Every structure is written in structure tokens, then in C-alpha cells.
Amino acid sequence: MRFNEVILIDRNKTIAVNVGGVMVGGDAPIVVQSMTNTDTADIDATVRQVTQLANAGSEIVRITVDREDAARSVPYIRDELDKAGVDVPLVGDFHYIGHKLLTDFPDCAKALAKYRINPGNVGFKAKRDLQFSKLIELAIKYDKAVRIGVNWGSLDEELLTSLMNENTARAKPFSAAHIMRETIIKSALLSAKRAEEIGLGRDRIILSTKTSDVQNLIKIYQDLSKRSDYALHLGLTEAGMGSKGIVASSAAMGILLQQGIGDTIRISLTPEPNGDRTKEVKVAQELLQTMGFRQFVPVVAACPGCGRTTSSVFQVLAREIEDHLISSMPKWRDKYVGVENLSVAVMGCIVNGPGESKHADIGISLPGTGETPAAPVYIEGKKVATLRGADIAKQFKKMLSDYIEKRFSN
């Protein structure tokens, strides 16, 4: 008997938003998105990176639109992507002069699927309402979705000062951290309310309220989800490099996702110099897949190794199998319906190997140190073969391919 059934988590019900054909919120699966780090004015480089991100599995890609040259390039980027068959929706990231760029470059406004607006820097003092209103009017004109993205690094200082002053007058003031969180939430909600007053539908609004602190991020989104039903974009801003960024983002978003909060996620990793930008997509997919919300590629369970597994055979086989599955997925998705739900076990010794292999759809338990050089293979909980010899890896890969063909062939 196998026990790898999916445990479903009820998600908070939010309003569904159509972002260039990709549904965010409502009953839609949690969407993976990413952002380029190219100069958008460099059309070839941006097209190349958007394509890489989309091929890695990013379902929405955001690009920076910070000046005239960038805005002028957006429609050409969209055209080149369309010619290449890359239909991923593009989101324009606007700060300070978005209202002017979208007005002066209507083809840019049309080519984008969503506009990202930061209420903390959309304008200052008397210009704030005017420039925010202009952005919303343009979204209405071109029927585009809007993400109102608040970031604690660029908060509305006027709102923050107002709430701090109110707090000082209280008999028992809240902490500064509490007021900061409340400012972030109110900035998002007041901006969304204003957008609706101008005429933008609730089904065109997505909210995000980002910090780079895990505990504050969790508290903010928990509170925000209780106070509104807008679709929510999750992300830990400025998460950092390498394992720190991965762990921090996963810890914060894992808790929120488990509580049913979040409709789309982005892992904001700082890449190594000349590093692979698609890593943020892979981490987002792995987070959703590990938690059981989405299935992108077959799962490979492999033991960590110990003194019972001094041979590197199982490590090499585990890597070979995982690489084989990932590289084969683009063609397998079309040929084998549901193959992404496959589970595979590659274990290193007799202690947990047979049991873990039985739990997987197909698994192999390789010989550990001092064990008989034989590798039992289990399919759907039953032992079907024992492999021996120097080519165990080749034999198992053949059995894996035969099993996929038999089970998932159209």
C-alpha cells in the first residue's frame, strides 16, 4: 500500500484576476512569477531572459519600465516573444513617472498585461492623487490589471507620519513595528479603494505588501487577508543571496501558503554575478510542489547518505534520474498526461530503502556498504525485479521509461 496522497489545504477565497490570460486568485492554482534584471531598453537581452524565465516555468514575467527608452522597447519585446511562441504575460514595473510613460507610449501600455504601481512613490504631496488617478485611468482605458505593490522600503511617508502622530496621542501607544505594519496595509487598502472609486473593477486589482523581515511579512499578510478579498501576490522583498534568500522566502511564504493565504508568488533572490536568473522560478516551483499545491515535475526522493552508503553509486543515480526527468519534461508534458505527478525513490541502503521505494510509484534500493550487490526495484508498492551488475543505472532508467509509457501514454 502506498501513502503518498496529496493533503489539500483550503485557500482563502479571493477575487479572480485575469492577467493576460493567466488567472490569479479565485479557484486558480497558485501562479509562479518572476522578474527580469536586464535593461529593458536592450530588446534582445530582455527577450532572451523573458524566454528563459518562461521556459523555466514562470507564468508571468515582470520587466522594469523606468524611462522612455524602456517604454519604447516594450512593444518590440512583446512582438519578438509572440513571434517565438512565448505567450507569457508581461507586467510593467513603474515608479515615479509611470503615468507619463504610459501616456506618452500607448503601444507600451497596450503591450503589457498588468501595471505594477507603488503607492509610496507614484507621486508626492499634491501630485500623488493626480498621478495615481492617471495610472488607474490608463489601466481602465486599456483594460489592464493592476498590482498595487506596497514595499516597506518606499512607504508613503505622509501616511506613516499621520499614523505615528495618532499613535503618540494614544494612552497606550502601539509599538513602532505595529504602526509600520498598519501603514503598509492601509496604504494598499486605501489605494485599492481609490482605484475602485475611479472605476477600476475589483477583478482587476492585485495587492502585495512586502517587507524583507519574515515575521513582519507573515503578520502583515495574515492581517491583510482578514481585511480584504483582493487577490494577493506574495513575496519577501530583498530576500538575499543563495541559501539565505531561499530559506527566508520559503519560511515566510510556506507559513502563509499553509494558512491558505496567497494567489501568486515570486522568490526575490539576488543572483550571483552572471548567475542563472531562472533559479527564482525553480525555487518557487519547488516550494509549491514540496507543499503539495502544484505539481511541476516528478518528485525524486533520495536519502542523504551516511556511513552505510560510502559508495557514490546511489548519489550518481539519483542525480542522473532527476536530471533525466527534468530534461525530458518539455516533451513528456505533451505525450504523457499527468506525468508530473510521478514519484520516484532512489535509496542508498537496506534500512529505509525498500520501505521508501514502496511508497513511491517506482523506486530502487541500492546496495549500501557491506550489503549484497543487488538492487530491488518496486513498482506501485510491489517488488518487480532485482538489478545486478555494473549497469544498474541503465537498467533502472529503462524500467522507468517503460513504466511512464505504460502508465501515462495517451
Side-chain angles (χ1 to χ4, degrees):
M1 180 181 294
R2 289 173 298 149
F3 302 94
N4 54 342
E5 64 184 64
V6 174
I7 299 173
L8 300 177
I9 302 296
D10 289 332
R11 288 169 55 204
N12 293 5
K13 191 69 173 180
T14 57
I15 298 170
V17 180
N18 188 329
V19 180
V22 174
M23 298 306 297
V24 176
D27 296 322
I30 299 166
V31 173
V32 171
Q33 59 180 281
S34 59
M35 185 175 183
T36 60
N37 62 354
T38 57
D39 179 356
T40 305
D42 186 337
I43 296 172
D44 290 342
T46 304
V47 168
R48 185 162 53 249
Q49 192 172 87
V50 170
T51 301
Q52 291 168 350
L53 290 166
N55 287 342
S58 184
E59 294 156 306
I60 296 173
V61 177
R62 181 159 44 115
I63 59 177
T64 298
V65 187
D66 57 347
R67 65 192 195 280
E68 291 187 357
D69 285 347
R72 189 179 289 111
S73 299
V74 170
Y76 295 100
I77 292 168
R78 180 72 271 169
D79 286 345
E80 289 301 311
L81 291 169
D82 289 342
K83 289 176 185 176
V86 181
D87 60 356
V88 65
L90 295 179
V91 177
D93 194 63
F94 294 100
H95 299 277
Y96 306 109
I97 59 170
H99 63 290
K100 185 176 188 304
L101 294 176
L102 288 172
T103 299
D104 294 348
F105 297 92
D107 287 343
C108 169
K110 295 173 187 175
L112 295 168
K114 183 174 73 174
Y115 309 152
R116 190 271 183 159
I117 305 171
N118 184 340
N121 59 33
V122 72
F124 302 99
K125 297 188 181 296
K127 292 182 178 180
R128 179 184 295 110
D129 287 345
L130 179 63
Q131 293 176 183
F132 179 82
S133 297
K134 183 61 178 178
L135 281 164
I136 299 302
E137 289 167 359
L138 288 163
I140 294 169
K141 177 180 179 180
Y142 295 112
D143 191 23
K144 304 298 182 179
V146 167
R147 172 160 71 96
I148 296 173
V150 182
N151 190 304
W152 77 340
S154 51
L155 269 178
D156 181 338
E157 290 297 329
E158 190 174 334
L159 177 61
L160 177 60
T161 300
S162 174
L163 292 180
M164 284 290 190
N165 289 338
E166 288 179 14
N167 189 53
T168 301
R170 292 175 59 88
K172 293 183 178 181
F174 294 111
S175 68
H178 176 91
I179 298 303
M180 181 275 295
R181 292 193 296 268
E182 182 63 16
T183 303
I184 292 173
I185 294 170
K186 278 198 170 179
S187 179
L189 293 177
L190 289 173
S191 298
K193 180 180 179 182
R194 178 58 184 145
E196 287 192 63
E197 290 172 349
I198 296 168
L200 188 66
R202 293 174 67 79
D203 63 345
R204 307 303 279 151
I205 299 172
I206 296 172
L207 300 184
S208 68
T209 47
K210 294 186 178 183
T211 79
S212 58
D213 178 84
V214 170
Q215 294 298 340
N216 277 309
L217 188 87
I218 293 168
K219 289 184 174 109
I220 288 168
Y221 273 101
Q222 287 172 333
D223 196 356
L224 178 61
S225 69
K226 294 174 183 175
R227 293 162 65 173
S228 79
D229 59 358
Y230 295 108
L232 297 180
H233 167 119
L234 296 188
L236 186 76
T237 190
E238 287 86 45
M241 298 181 75
S243 61
K244 185 270 179 184
I246 294 172
V247 171
S249 293
S250 299
M253 283 187 268
I255 290 171
L256 291 168
L257 291 168
Q258 188 69 16
Q259 295 175 355
I261 300 169
D263 301 292
T264 178
I265 67 171
R266 187 216 167 181
I267 304 291
S268 301
L269 296 179
T270 303
E272 300 288 344
N274 301 313
D276 183 1
R277 190 67 169 179
T278 64
K279 188 171 184 178
E280 66 178 54
V281 178
K282 296 170 186 173
V283 172
Q285 289 181 328
E286 287 173 3
L287 174 61
L288 293 177
Q289 179 154 323
T290 298
M291 297 190 69
F293 292 111
R294 297 279 303 271
Q295 200 73 21
F296 298 97
V297 295
V299 175
V300 178
C303 72
C306 66
R308 293 186 298 269
T309 56
T310 53
S311 168
S312 64
V313 174
F314 87 95
Q315 298 166 332
V316 173
L317 180 57
R319 171 50 58 197
E320 280 188 24
I321 295 302
E322 191 155 330
D323 289 346
H324 177 62
L325 291 170
I326 292 171
S327 64
S328 300
M329 279 305 293
K331 64 179 181 181
W332 280 358
R333 282 193 186 97
D334 293 331
K335 187 176 181 181
Y336 302 120
V337 176
V339 69
E340 65 275 7
N341 297 309
L342 177 72
S343 62
V344 182
V346 180
M347 303 301 293
C349 79
I350 199 169
V351 174
N352 292 316
E356 190 70 44
S357 297
K358 291 175 184 177
H359 295 329
D361 292 319
I362 179 170
I364 183 171
S365 178
L366 293 166
T369 304
E371 293 175 13
T372 303
V377 176
Y378 298 82
I379 293 180
E380 298 181 358
K382 298 178 180 179
K383 183 178 176 181
V384 297
T386 299
L387 306 183
R388 293 181 174 84
D391 63 343
I392 285 178
K394 182 178 179 181
Q395 293 178 60
F396 182 67
K397 288 169 73 172
K398 175 65 166 58
M399 293 185 71
L400 175 61
S401 297
D402 290 345
Y403 176 71
I404 290 172
E405 175 68 28
K406 180 180 179 181
R407 178 176 169 186
F408 298 103
S409 176
N410 290 334

